[in-house]
Amino acid sequence: MSHNTFGHLFRVTTWGESHGPAIGCVVDGCPPGIRFTRAEIQAELDRRRPGQSRFVTQRREPDEVKILSGVMEEGDGLVTTGTPVSMMIENVDQRSKDYGDIAERYRPGHADYTYEMKYGLRDYRGGGRSSARETAMRVAAGALARKVLPDVVIRGALVAMGEKRIDRANWDWDFVKDPENPFFTPDPASVPVFAEYLDGIRKAGSSVGAVIEVVAEGVPAGLGAPIYGKLDQDICAYLMSINAVKGVEVGNGFEAARIRGEENADEMRAGNDGRPRFLSNNAGGILGGISTGQPIVARFAVKPTSSILTPRRSVDRGGAEVDVVTKGRHDPCVGIRAVPIGEAMVACAIADHYLRHRGQTGRG
Amino acid sequence: MSHNTFGHLFRVTTWGESHGPAIGCVVDGCPPGIRFTRAEIQAELDRRRPGQSRFVTQRREPDEVKILSGVMEEGDGLVTTGTPVSMMIENVDQRSKDYGDIAERYRPGHADYTYEMKYGLRDYRGGGRSSARETAMRVAAGALARKVLPDVVIRGALVAMGEKRIDRANWDWDFVKDPENPFFTPDPASVPVFAEYLDGIRKAGSSVGAVIEVVAEGVPAGLGAPIYGKLDQDICAYLMSINAVKGVEVGNGFEAARIRGEENADEMRAGNDGRPRFLSNNAGGILGGISTGQPIVARFAVKPTSSILTPRRSVDRGGAEVDVVTKGRHDPCVGIRAVPIGEAMVACAIADHYLRHRGQTGRG
Amino acid sequence: MSHNTFGHLFRVTTWGESHGPAIGCVVDGCPPGIRFTRAEIQAELDRRRPGQSRFVTQRREPDEVKILSGVMEEGDGLVTTGTPVSMMIENVDQRSKDYGDIAERYRPGHADYTYEMKYGLRDYRGGGRSSARETAMRVAAGALARKVLPDVVIRGALVAMGEKRIDRANWDWDFVKDPENPFFTPDPASVPVFAEYLDGIRKAGSSVGAVIEVVAEGVPAGLGAPIYGKLDQDICAYLMSINAVKGVEVGNGFEAARIRGEENADEMRAGNDGRPRFLSNNAGGILGGISTGQPIVARFAVKPTSSILTPRRSVDRGGAEVDVVTKGRHDPCVGIRAVPIGEAMVACAIADHYLRHRGQTGRG
Amino acid sequence: MSHNTFGHLFRVTTWGESHGPAIGCVVDGCPPGIRFTRAEIQAELDRRRPGQSRFVTQRREPDEVKILSGVMEEGDGLVTTGTPVSMMIENVDQRSKDYGDIAERYRPGHADYTYEMKYGLRDYRGGGRSSARETAMRVAAGALARKVLPDVVIRGALVAMGEKRIDRANWDWDFVKDPENPFFTPDPASVPVFAEYLDGIRKAGSSVGAVIEVVAEGVPAGLGAPIYGKLDQDICAYLMSINAVKGVEVGNGFEAARIRGEENADEMRAGNDGRPRFLSNNAGGILGGISTGQPIVARFAVKPTSSILTPRRSVDRGGAEVDVVTKGRHDPCVGIRAVPIGEAMVACAIADHYLRHRGQTGRG
């Protein structure tokens, strides 16, 4: 990854700010002959769209994706031609806004100060590239990545919100996509708990973080590389590239550091298909940087948004000490919407490794 | 990162296996005019060398580094010319060994099975590229990266070993490098605790993981980029690329997901130097992917080695069920030696971003 | 360069086909604080626009560029923020067209057959990515690259068209931009010659190639790298990436192979500014891959378009032998419009090396 | 290409200077399971070795290649494991030398001045990275690339030397490798002409350039990409990266700019294998950046070496005007030895595209 591009063979470049006329991405290196519909891309985008419950920002963004290149029409759908697929979403909710106050103050926990240190100027109009809006294009690219991996199922779920966490014994993937589930939680019993907790956070003008787990099933064994191109490393880098993510782990992650070697190593028995059958999955489906064929499991931690009503101490560009309060709409838990984003990034990482593996070895 | 190269302007390529004649690296893009001595590189290498206490493998590797290109002699030392710096360590402890048994069995927790799935063949002679030996070249490259960043101090410490962790109140950087400290722990009180614990692990033929913390002080504000080139993302990817690492985090990491926005956002007051003074460092020195000028703090989790004496269930290449025991020398806690490796990777990541920042903005 | 991206720090990704809704590019890594106006970009685009004389295709493309990201308004103009600059041109002249005939036939000299061999499908609607239209985005990116290099003047000229060539003794850069000069030729005396020649070619339904020379003045000494990052190599690769280019050379180019060492090596005398003054410029401003400070001179050969009225023998997708005639509008000499494209590519190559040099060495 | 690495999936990094202890390369991304012998690599290296006739420098370099990683022994040979293949040649002919004079003077036509402008220091000991010696590692990497492409035959020949050129009617590939042929010329009749001509050049203390043609037969149709990853563009970039190369062309190259569209476009008829049969090969086996299945033909121009006995005017580092004469051994025509180097670079370019094509499309 460098600048605003990620991937080696399945390469995604995103561009755009929430306050500009549009945001977009270019997916370069997508295999030719991939069949999909605009509606399939749109459906993924709709999953991360704000304004779907009282727990996420009411900012209305229809997020209607346009596909500008790299495809031909075929029947009712589209087929990739092998050339760059450009996708774009126009920003329709660009209210003219008085940024005057924010333009001169460094909001604590935001990138205001660091942007200015980096670029020598201040683009005060929204979060710049760190805006949550940018993540829409990751989801669009991820929707295409899924099509490159037809036999792989990639699903995410929220497993912790602030001080509350799910009971993994209740895990139900179907419930994650239940329209009555505003949290992408896999544990039905957690919904009232999270709802009450988050209502409290919201009323207090506060915010809270979350932990998201993404699971990829059906990934063939052999993807990845031993060290600098480890599949887990790339998955973690892709997840860390999401705004507000502070930690990532694969398999049992940090827990691995606590337990013993004989507990941690996944034992094997003969499988019915002539391949080893693993008796556990502490490794999260990856050993030595290479997929084992077991489900790939990754988790990432999203920090609480710093856009809160509680006044926080800061300084302004002139060096004067000020208090900062973030007014206006915001999400009390931005981590909720991170679920489809995490899925998309995992899909892109695996798609890239799938093509790289095929290139180097001729298999896959 | 791709294949065996990492970095964009400060680019490191490593090669070699523990069972071959040598291992090495090429550092390409190193600025010209960097002054250093071979002894300085060697000193870093000696820090990760096995055989220094009863807690690490007694395998003797003098690890004498040769510098083959990219430098001129100047006075008593060397100066980089701007061309690729090639470094190499010859493998002297290549005992002829009977791998027959291991060659046919998949060791649980090792990459034996996945290597074969990836490459279609089995290089059974040691851990291939996943060998701990490979990390020597990261340390050599990191020693050079430190020279590119003369005002940055990068130090690591072991903060947890299996079920035991340090008391952060006792943190003493000087103690980390005390020759009487076999653990790179910053807490003197932890030494007897870790020693007794690890003796028990070793006697049981078991192994245990560790958590390492790396802190970089003196990093100027402005390094990094908002999203796909986030400094924290690259630091995490560099750390995840180390063999046996299962999780990474920056600043308060996973803890950020648990606390509230007003607790998490680091407040600012006017500093004496005209710059903001942060009142806390939950962000770990990075906001919006860009350094704030505060210390950069990253942690990574190392799993317990799967080379243990306890028999584990597995299968062989023919599909038959077998028990596997790893004989011979091994480290009960490979995480100890990961401390200088983690420092080296953080140094390389920051050096690369330093050059990239200077390239894009002309500052730095 | 890979796929549809070129450059390391000044990175350009282009997308789009002439028959789709739009074409565009993303310029990533552009330094922040670069001031320019939309009109300046547009002016460059207008130079390559078809429909300006009887010698170029009458296809009307207003080519109105939109700037979608990476800039802030400042006064009457724009300033780059350091984030990706996305530019787009909508395709307005998309006549609904019957491609039936072409869809099944491989046009000689076109990429019809090779596209199908590569992608396994046929995108018959225009030239795909090889369309001349794609080059508009190179020109837009190049206009921005020029702004990164304020003291560098990059100009191109047509020096040969088919069997006719200019008299270099008449070289007049001002004449190249004379509105009465439809050929970008620097030799006023060549205009009637080229005009008569090209009228004959056009009337015969034929086509002819051209040689373009690009000169960059004011490039500081020190850009480039000895071998794999040679400035001349990258300039040549950038020029070769233009559709229909079959050869490239720097300085005296192929002529260097004909003359002797003492004729070829540019001698030096002491300059007034303390720097060497070169007595000739056979090297084309580059020695050992690194700029000397002299003008950089590159030339490239554009083949005649294969879209001609003369029937040519070919086969169709079913393997049957057919004759192919290209009807409709076309340029008798596509090389004319290649002049601003060549300038743009040289500008992008030098801008990238300028940033890379600054990154590695801290100078520039 | 950047810095000292080239290729995307078949990636080669070279390092080393002629005056250091060794030179080497790392081939990363080589497919696993490639069988070869050290002798096969050595045989390619021996073809470019100096000291084989009176027409090339008498510098003795045994150029014995060591293979340090990425292979396993299998039978009498080696097999790649998929990990980086590191190869090294020790420099044995490092005479202690008085560089005093050269150290302070800028040799005309050499990179002395530009190196100093780039790096801010002067590595006077030989040509630095621009040394012809570096090319040995390209040949070693190319030998491996050939093994990745078992059905492709890549051969080069010298087609012009200074003012003399071959008669293409006499072309005989077998003669190129005749031990009695000191010039890699394909035209037996040219040998006495070149010999007499070059003797005169040598006696005059002068030098002369050459044009080399490389032909790759058996390349499947479909390799490459339409524009920024054109196969011809990458071949040209790889050839331009060779020291002293000033121009490159594919197919009829610059000649294409001179002829008409109906002459230039290669017509097709039905082939016996169901594929089109091309009636000519002006395109040099590449249309729209993608291979047609015809032989790929590229040419490059090598300038005469500037190491000549004739005094040339220059300046020294202090700005004083001086005369420079290059004493000692040198090649009167360095282009001769460029033949195996050109072949190697074309092999590497095609191998990389072969793997990239397989990655994106699953074919090949």
Side-chain angles (χ1 to χ4, degrees):
Chain A
M1 278 197 207
S2 101
H3 298 316
N4 292 281
T5 295
F6 56 94
H8 286 89
L9 289 190
F10 188 87
R11 284 158 71 96
V12 181
T13 300
T14 85
W15 55 267
E17 287 91 11
S18 58
H19 53 268
I23 59 172
C25 72
V26 183
V27 181
D28 194 9
C30 187
I34 303 288
R35 283 166 179 76
F36 69 103
T37 66
R38 210 197 61 81
E40 288 173 311
I41 307 287
Q42 190 64 50
E44 287 296 319
L45 283 162
D46 291 347
R47 291 178 64 216
R48 73 158 278 291
R49 200 175 38 163
Q52 296 174 305
S53 82
R54 74 179 184 278
F55 302 109
V56 293
T57 175
Q58 293 306 304
R59 185 173 174 131
R60 288 184 191 288
E61 299 166 340
D63 279 3
E64 195 173 315
V65 67
K66 291 184 178 177
I67 299 171
L68 301 173
S69 67
V71 295
M72 290 200 299
E73 293 184 10
E74 193 189 72
D76 290 341
L78 300 168
V79 60
T80 57
T81 60
T83 63
V85 179
S86 173
M87 297 190 276
M88 184 174 78
I89 298 173
E90 288 174 15
N91 292 328
V92 295
D93 189 17
Q94 292 174 258
R95 308 184 193 176
S96 164
K97 200 167 157 184
D98 177 10
Y99 290 102
D101 212 40
I102 296 176
E104 294 301 317
R105 294 171 171 203
Y106 301 127
R107 291 168 295 166
H110 277 88
D112 299 338
Y113 172 65
T114 54
Y115 265 54
E116 191 160 335
M117 288 299 102
K118 169 129 212 112
Y119 296 121
L121 50 79
R122 176 79 186 284
D123 185 358
Y124 48 81
R125 307 157 304 168
R129 289 289 286 156
S130 301
S131 160
R133 182 129 183 78
E134 182 272 343
T135 60
M137 299 323 301
R138 302 173 186 245
V139 173
L144 201 50
R146 289 176 197 263
K147 293 288 172 181
V148 174
L149 303 163
D151 300 326
V152 178
V153 175
I154 298 167
R155 295 181 292 197
L158 182 146
V159 297
M161 179 193 289
E163 295 163 349
K164 311 293 180 189
R165 50 202 63 230
I166 64 157
D167 181 349
R168 300 182 75 93
N170 296 338
W171 197 293
D172 176 359
W173 277 120
D174 285 336
F175 182 69
V176 175
K177 47 188 179 177
D178 190 313
E180 297 304 298
N181 177 356
F183 301 120
F184 293 106
T185 170
D187 170 12
S190 71
V191 170
V193 180
F194 285 159
E196 185 182 351
Y197 179 66
L198 201 53
D199 272 332
I201 296 288
R202 187 166 53 89
K203 283 169 190 159
S206 183
S207 66
V208 78
V211 178
I212 313 300
E213 182 166 316
V214 181
V215 179
E217 290 169 283
V219 178
L223 305 196
I227 33 177
Y228 300 106
K230 284 167 73 175
L231 180 57
D232 35 357
Q233 162 205 325
D234 279 347
I235 286 173
C236 286
Y238 276 51
L239 293 173
M240 275 296 296
S241 78
I242 302 170
N243 183 27
V245 173
K246 298 299 285 181
V248 283
E249 59 182 11
V250 166
N252 58 357
F254 277 86
E255 173 70 5
R258 212 185 52 76
I259 62 178
R260 291 184 175 210
E262 57 272 26
E263 298 169 274
N264 190 64
D266 302 307
E267 293 184 294
M268 289 171 264
R269 295 282 78 181
N272 294 327
D273 57 353
R275 296 204 160 178
R277 177 171 53 86
F278 289 90
L279 305 184
S280 54
N281 190 13
N282 288 325
I286 301 175
L287 278 172
I290 302 167
S291 59
T292 63
Q294 284 201 287
I296 289 173
V297 181
R299 267 178 306 283
F300 60 101
V302 182
K303 71 175 184 182
T305 178
S306 305
S307 297
I308 50 178
L309 293 177
T310 315
R312 308 302 293 157
R313 290 174 290 174
S314 189
V315 294
D316 66 17
R317 297 182 75 198
E321 301 193 334
V322 294
D323 273 13
V324 173
V325 175
T326 308
K327 293 168 199 153
R329 51 197 180 183
H330 79 276
D331 282 9
C333 179
V334 290
I336 298 171
R337 288 165 58 194
V339 173
I341 302 163
E343 292 175 6
M345 293 310 284
V346 171
C348 289
I350 297 174
D352 187 45
H353 273 281
Y354 173 73
L355 301 185
R356 287 160 70 181
H357 177 66
R358 186 162 73 178
Q360 190 184 4
T361 69
R363 289 198 302 279
Chain B
M1 279 196 206
S2 100
H3 298 316
N4 292 281
T5 296
F6 56 93
H8 287 90
L9 290 189
F10 189 87
R11 282 158 72 94
V12 180
T13 300
T14 84
W15 55 267
E17 287 90 13
S18 58
H19 54 269
I23 59 172
C25 72
V26 183
V27 181
D28 195 10
C30 186
I34 304 287
R35 281 164 180 77
F36 69 103
T37 65
R38 208 196 63 80
E40 289 173 312
I41 306 287
Q42 190 65 51
E44 288 296 319
L45 283 163
D46 290 347
R47 292 178 63 216
R48 74 158 279 290
R49 200 175 39 161
Q52 298 175 305
S53 82
R54 72 177 185 279
F55 302 110
V56 293
T57 175
Q58 292 306 304
R59 184 173 176 132
R60 290 186 190 288
E61 299 166 340
D63 279 2
E64 195 173 315
V65 68
K66 291 184 180 178
I67 300 170
L68 300 173
S69 67
V71 296
M72 288 200 299
E73 293 185 11
E74 193 188 70
D76 291 340
L78 300 169
V79 60
T80 58
T81 60
T83 62
V85 180
S86 173
M87 296 189 278
M88 183 174 78
I89 298 174
E90 289 173 14
N91 292 328
V92 295
D93 189 18
Q94 291 173 261
R95 307 185 194 174
S96 165
K97 201 168 159 182
D98 177 11
Y99 291 103
D101 211 42
I102 296 177
E104 293 301 316
R105 294 172 169 200
Y106 301 128
R107 290 168 296 166
H110 277 89
D112 299 338
Y113 173 65
T114 55
Y115 265 53
E116 191 160 335
M117 288 298 101
K118 169 125 211 118
Y119 296 120
L121 49 80
R122 176 79 186 284
D123 185 357
Y124 47 82
R125 306 157 304 166
R129 288 289 285 158
S130 301
S131 160
R133 181 129 183 79
E134 182 273 342
T135 60
M137 299 324 300
R138 302 174 185 244
V139 173
L144 201 49
R146 288 176 196 264
K147 292 288 170 180
V148 174
L149 303 163
D151 301 325
V152 178
V153 175
I154 298 167
R155 294 181 293 196
L158 182 148
V159 298
M161 179 193 291
E163 295 163 348
K164 311 294 180 188
R165 49 202 63 230
I166 63 156
D167 181 349
R168 300 183 76 93
N170 296 337
W171 196 292
D172 175 1
W173 278 119
D174 286 337
F175 183 68
V176 175
K177 49 186 178 179
D178 190 312
E180 298 303 301
N181 177 355
F183 302 119
F184 294 107
T185 171
D187 171 11
S190 71
V191 171
V193 180
F194 285 159
E196 184 182 351
Y197 179 66
L198 202 53
D199 272 333
I201 296 289
R202 187 165 53 90
K203 283 169 191 160
S206 183
S207 66
V208 76
V211 177
I212 313 299
E213 181 166 316
V214 181
V215 179
E217 291 169 283
V219 178
L223 305 196
I227 33 175
Y228 302 105
K230 285 167 72 173
L231 180 57
D232 34 357
Q233 161 204 326
D234 279 347
I235 286 173
C236 286
Y238 277 50
L239 293 173
M240 274 298 294
S241 78
I242 301 170
N243 183 29
V245 173
K246 298 301 285 181
V248 283
E249 59 182 12
V250 165
N252 57 357
F254 277 86
E255 173 70 5
R258 213 186 50 77
I259 62 177
R260 291 183 176 214
E262 56 272 28
E263 298 169 274
N264 191 63
D266 302 308
E267 293 183 295
M268 289 171 264
R269 295 282 78 182
N272 294 327
D273 57 354
R275 298 206 159 175
R277 177 172 53 89
F278 290 89
L279 306 183
S280 54
N281 189 15
N282 287 325
I286 301 175
L287 279 172
I290 301 167
S291 59
T292 63
Q294 283 200 287
I296 290 173
V297 180
R299 265 178 309 282
F300 60 102
V302 181
K303 72 176 182 182
T305 178
S306 306
S307 297
I308 50 177
L309 293 177
T310 314
R312 308 302 294 158
R313 289 175 289 175
S314 188
V315 295
D316 66 16
R317 298 182 73 200
E321 302 194 334
V322 294
D323 274 14
V324 173
V325 175
T326 308
K327 292 167 200 154
R329 51 199 181 183
H330 78 274
D331 282 9
C333 179
V334 291
I336 298 171
R337 286 165 59 194
V339 173
I341 302 163
E343 293 175 6
M345 293 310 285
V346 171
C348 288
I350 297 174
D352 188 45
H353 272 282
Y354 173 74
L355 301 185
R356 288 160 68 181
H357 177 67
R358 185 162 74 179
Q360 189 184 4
T361 69
R363 288 198 302 279
Chain C
M1 280 195 204
S2 101
H3 297 317
N4 293 281
T5 296
F6 56 93
H8 287 89
L9 290 189
F10 188 88
R11 282 158 71 95
V12 180
T13 300
T14 84
W15 55 266
E17 286 91 12
S18 59
H19 54 268
I23 59 172
C25 71
V26 184
V27 180
D28 195 9
C30 187
I34 303 288
R35 283 165 179 78
F36 69 103
T37 65
R38 209 196 62 80
E40 288 173 311
I41 306 287
Q42 190 64 51
E44 288 296 320
L45 283 163
D46 291 347
R47 291 178 64 217
R48 72 158 279 291
R49 199 176 37 162
Q52 297 176 304
S53 80
R54 74 179 184 278
F55 302 109
V56 293
T57 174
Q58 293 307 304
R59 185 173 174 130
R60 291 186 188 286
E61 299 166 339
D63 279 3
E64 196 174 313
V65 68
K66 292 184 178 178
I67 300 170
L68 300 173
S69 68
V71 296
M72 290 201 300
E73 292 184 10
E74 194 188 70
D76 291 341
L78 301 168
V79 60
T80 57
T81 61
T83 63
V85 179
S86 173
M87 298 190 277
M88 185 174 77
I89 297 174
E90 288 172 15
N91 292 328
V92 294
D93 188 18
Q94 292 175 259
R95 307 185 193 174
S96 165
K97 199 167 159 184
D98 177 10
Y99 291 102
D101 211 40
I102 295 177
E104 294 301 318
R105 293 172 173 201
Y106 301 128
R107 291 169 294 167
H110 278 89
D112 299 338
Y113 172 66
T114 55
Y115 265 54
E116 191 159 335
M117 288 298 101
K118 167 125 213 119
Y119 297 121
L121 49 78
R122 175 79 187 282
D123 186 357
Y124 48 80
R125 306 158 303 167
R129 290 289 285 157
S130 302
S131 160
R133 182 130 183 79
E134 182 272 343
T135 60
M137 299 324 299
R138 303 174 185 242
V139 172
L144 201 50
R146 289 176 197 263
K147 292 288 171 181
V148 174
L149 303 164
D151 300 326
V152 178
V153 175
I154 299 167
R155 295 181 291 198
L158 182 146
V159 297
M161 178 193 293
E163 295 162 348
K164 310 294 180 188
R165 49 203 61 231
I166 63 157
D167 180 348
R168 300 182 76 93
N170 296 337
W171 197 292
D172 175 0
W173 276 119
D174 286 336
F175 182 69
V176 174
K177 49 188 179 179
D178 190 314
E180 297 303 301
N181 176 355
F183 300 120
F184 294 107
T185 171
D187 170 13
S190 71
V191 170
V193 179
F194 285 158
E196 184 183 351
Y197 178 67
L198 202 53
D199 272 333
I201 296 288
R202 187 165 54 89
K203 282 168 192 162
S206 182
S207 66
V208 77
V211 177
I212 312 300
E213 181 166 317
V214 181
V215 179
E217 289 170 283
V219 178
L223 305 195
I227 33 177
Y228 301 106
K230 285 166 73 174
L231 180 57
D232 35 357
Q233 163 204 325
D234 279 348
I235 286 174
C236 286
Y238 278 49
L239 293 173
M240 274 297 294
S241 79
I242 302 170
N243 183 26
V245 174
K246 298 299 286 181
V248 283
E249 59 182 11
V250 166
N252 57 357
F254 276 87
E255 173 70 5
R258 213 186 50 78
I259 62 177
R260 293 185 174 210
E262 57 271 27
E263 298 169 275
N264 190 63
D266 301 308
E267 293 184 293
M268 290 171 262
R269 296 283 77 183
N272 293 328
D273 58 353
R275 297 205 161 177
R277 176 171 54 86
F278 289 90
L279 305 184
S280 54
N281 190 14
N282 287 325
I286 301 174
L287 278 172
I290 302 168
S291 59
T292 62
Q294 283 200 289
I296 289 173
V297 181
R299 267 178 307 281
F300 60 103
V302 181
K303 72 176 183 182
T305 179
S306 306
S307 296
I308 50 178
L309 293 178
T310 314
R312 307 303 293 158
R313 289 174 290 173
S314 189
V315 295
D316 67 15
R317 297 181 76 199
E321 301 194 333
V322 295
D323 273 13
V324 173
V325 174
T326 307
K327 294 167 199 154
R329 52 200 180 184
H330 78 275
D331 282 9
C333 180
V334 291
I336 298 171
R337 286 165 59 194
V339 173
I341 302 162
E343 292 175 6
M345 294 308 285
V346 170
C348 289
I350 297 174
D352 188 45
H353 272 282
Y354 173 74
L355 300 184
R356 288 160 69 180
H357 177 67
R358 186 161 75 178
Q360 189 184 4
T361 69
R363 289 198 303 279
Chain D
M1 280 197 206
S2 99
H3 299 316
N4 292 281
T5 296
F6 56 93
H8 287 89
L9 289 189
F10 188 88
R11 283 157 71 95
V12 180
T13 300
T14 83
W15 55 266
E17 287 91 12
S18 57
H19 53 270
I23 59 173
C25 72
V26 184
V27 180
D28 195 9
C30 186
I34 303 288
R35 281 164 181 78
F36 69 102
T37 65
R38 209 196 61 80
E40 288 172 312
I41 307 287
Q42 190 64 51
E44 288 296 321
L45 283 162
D46 290 347
R47 291 178 63 216
R48 73 159 278 291
R49 200 175 38 160
Q52 297 175 303
S53 80
R54 74 178 183 279
F55 302 110
V56 294
T57 174
Q58 292 306 305
R59 183 172 177 133
R60 291 186 188 287
E61 298 167 338
D63 279 4
E64 196 173 315
V65 67
K66 292 184 178 178
I67 299 170
L68 300 173
S69 68
V71 295
M72 289 201 299
E73 292 183 10
E74 195 188 71
D76 291 340
L78 301 168
V79 60
T80 59
T81 61
T83 63
V85 179
S86 173
M87 296 190 275
M88 183 173 78
I89 297 175
E90 289 173 14
N91 292 328
V92 294
D93 189 18
Q94 291 175 260
R95 308 187 193 174
S96 164
K97 200 167 158 185
D98 177 11
Y99 291 101
D101 210 41
I102 296 177
E104 293 302 317
R105 294 172 171 200
Y106 301 128
R107 290 168 296 167
H110 277 90
D112 300 337
Y113 173 65
T114 55
Y115 265 54
E116 190 160 337
M117 288 300 101
K118 169 127 213 114
Y119 296 120
L121 50 79
R122 175 79 186 284
D123 185 357
Y124 48 82
R125 305 158 306 168
R129 288 290 285 156
S130 301
S131 160
R133 182 130 182 78
E134 182 272 341
T135 58
M137 299 322 301
R138 304 174 185 243
V139 173
L144 202 49
R146 288 175 197 263
K147 292 287 171 181
V148 174
L149 304 164
D151 301 326
V152 178
V153 175
I154 299 167
R155 294 181 291 196
L158 182 146
V159 297
M161 179 194 289
E163 294 162 349
K164 311 294 179 188
R165 50 201 63 231
I166 63 157
D167 180 348
R168 300 182 77 93
N170 296 338
W171 196 292
D172 175 1
W173 277 119
D174 286 336
F175 183 69
V176 174
K177 49 187 178 179
D178 189 312
E180 298 304 300
N181 176 354
F183 301 120
F184 294 107
T185 171
D187 171 12
S190 71
V191 170
V193 179
F194 285 160
E196 184 184 348
Y197 179 65
L198 201 53
D199 271 332
I201 297 289
R202 187 165 53 88
K203 282 169 191 159
S206 182
S207 66
V208 78
V211 178
I212 313 299
E213 182 166 316
V214 181
V215 179
E217 290 169 283
V219 178
L223 305 195
I227 33 178
Y228 301 107
K230 285 167 72 175
L231 180 57
D232 34 357
Q233 163 204 324
D234 279 348
I235 286 174
C236 285
Y238 277 50
L239 292 174
M240 273 299 293
S241 79
I242 302 170
N243 182 28
V245 174
K246 299 299 285 182
V248 282
E249 59 182 11
V250 166
N252 57 357
F254 277 86
E255 173 70 4
R258 211 184 53 75
I259 61 177
R260 294 186 173 208
E262 57 272 27
E263 298 169 273
N264 190 62
D266 301 308
E267 293 184 293
M268 288 171 265
R269 295 282 79 181
N272 293 327
D273 57 353
R275 298 205 159 176
R277 177 173 53 88
F278 290 91
L279 306 183
S280 55
N281 190 15
N282 287 326
I286 301 174
L287 278 171
I290 302 167
S291 59
T292 62
Q294 283 200 289
I296 290 174
V297 181
R299 266 178 306 284
F300 59 102
V302 181
K303 71 175 184 183
T305 179
S306 306
S307 296
I308 49 177
L309 293 177
T310 314
R312 306 305 293 158
R313 288 174 290 174
S314 188
V315 295
D316 66 17
R317 299 182 73 200
E321 302 193 334
V322 293
D323 272 13
V324 174
V325 175
T326 308
K327 293 167 201 156
R329 51 198 181 185
H330 79 275
D331 282 9
C333 178
V334 291
I336 298 171
R337 288 164 58 193
V339 172
I341 303 163
E343 292 176 6
M345 295 308 285
V346 170
C348 289
I350 297 174
D352 188 46
H353 273 281
Y354 173 74
L355 300 185
R356 289 161 69 180
H357 177 67
R358 185 161 75 178
Q360 189 183 4
T361 68
R363 288 199 303 279

